[in-house]
Amino acid sequence: MQVKTFVFNPIEENTYLLIDEQSKACIVIDAGCLYGREKLTLENYIKEQGLSLKRVINTHLHLDHCFGNKFLADTFGVLPEASERDEFLLALMKHHAQMFGFRDGVEPQKLKGYLRDGDIITEGSIELHVLEVPGHSPGGLAFYSPKDKCVFCGDTLFQCGIGRTDLDGGNYSAIIDSIKSKLFTLPDDTTVYTGHGGTTNIGFEKENNPLFNW
């Protein structure tokens, strides 16, 4: 599996494009493209590489992680999937956009379906296990690839930090439990692809994250 990272929108959100190099099937995780040039960058990469977009999935539905869902639905006919517990955030998307100063181009996209703990997403050789990791949002999800030794965790875990829990539906106790019971049970050499900033790995966070090393 090849992982291509794009950094989109003023909040500098990480959008991930997962590619099965043999079949050319691909999956977008957290489409954050907001502006025209960002949308064109993602569209052109998919088309120029001869890829076939199969799934659009979300770790959570805060606006900076799903700005581009409607664009991908309109352009490629692929609707997003996420946790049902985060669906309420779509109705608040325009309100939140105004709060953050985003005036144009913010349109929520209806979900195709829901992802739940224990689901397995497969496209070509790509295999992602869905883990429920609430706390940053009620419906937070992580996508774990045992074969490629990596996990896409959105804003749940960062290098030496965790996601904020003061937004709608956030819960500090829940995010701590999610990290301990779901993410920290993964092998230490698992690469963590975060929602913002650079990658880290599970072993490093268990040893160095100040929130878990009192």
Side-chain angles (χ1 to χ4, degrees):
M1 178 178 73
Q2 177 186 350
V3 180
K4 172 70 175 176
T5 305
F6 300 89
V7 179
F8 288 142
N9 71 61
I11 307 178
E12 297 185 338
E13 176 268 353
N14 292 329
T15 293
Y16 296 106
L17 183 65
L18 280 50
I19 303 166
D20 173 36
E21 295 175 286
Q22 183 172 0
S23 70
K24 296 295 186 180
C26 67
I27 297 172
V28 169
I29 298 178
D30 289 352
C33 46
L34 172 63
Y35 302 119
R37 64 182 182 278
E38 296 177 337
K39 295 173 182 177
L40 194 59
T41 294
L42 182 56
E43 178 185 3
N44 285 348
Y45 189 89
I46 292 171
K47 291 180 176 179
E48 289 170 2
Q49 297 298 315
L51 305 178
S52 177
L53 181 60
K54 299 296 186 181
R55 308 282 285 268
V56 175
I57 59 179
N58 278 94
T59 61
H60 63 296
L61 291 174
H62 288 153
L63 77 171
D64 54 319
H65 289 257
C66 61
F67 278 137
N69 282 355
K70 187 175 189 306
F71 167 73
L72 292 179
D74 292 344
T75 304
F76 295 98
V78 181
L79 274 64
E81 301 165 80
S83 169
E84 184 176 11
R85 293 173 183 166
D86 265 12
E87 193 171 29
F88 77 98
L89 290 168
L90 296 178
L92 300 173
M93 189 173 178
K94 286 192 173 183
H95 171 67
H96 288 160
Q98 291 177 349
M99 289 175 56
F100 282 94
F102 301 116
R103 302 297 180 186
D104 301 311
V106 178
E107 292 290 338
Q109 173 59 53
K110 182 179 179 181
L111 299 177
K112 171 187 176 181
Y114 304 125
L115 298 171
R116 300 173 179 84
D117 196 80
D119 287 349
I120 299 177
I121 298 168
T122 57
E123 292 296 341
S125 64
I126 301 171
E127 181 177 291
L128 301 173
H129 295 232
V130 179
L131 309 175
E132 290 183 352
V133 288
H136 178 62
S137 71
L141 301 174
F143 305 115
Y144 171 53
S145 172
K147 182 175 66 174
D148 293 284
K149 297 182 179 181
C150 64
V151 63
F152 301 84
C153 69
D155 292 358
T156 297
L157 179 65
F158 297 113
Q159 187 178 60
C160 293
I162 64 172
R164 59 189 295 180
T165 57
D166 58 339
L167 302 173
D168 289 312
N171 185 301
Y172 180 80
S173 296
I175 198 172
I176 294 296
D177 181 66
S178 292
I179 293 168
K180 288 182 174 179
S181 65
K182 294 294 182 66
L183 298 183
F184 279 2
T185 62
L186 301 177
D188 284 354
D189 61 350
T190 301
T191 298
V192 179
Y193 288 95
T194 62
H196 304 268
T199 61
T200 183
N201 69 63
I202 294 297
F204 178 88
E205 294 308 316
K206 287 163 69 174
E207 292 294 326
N208 297 283
N209 195 308
L211 291 170
F212 302 96
N213 291 278
W214 302 318

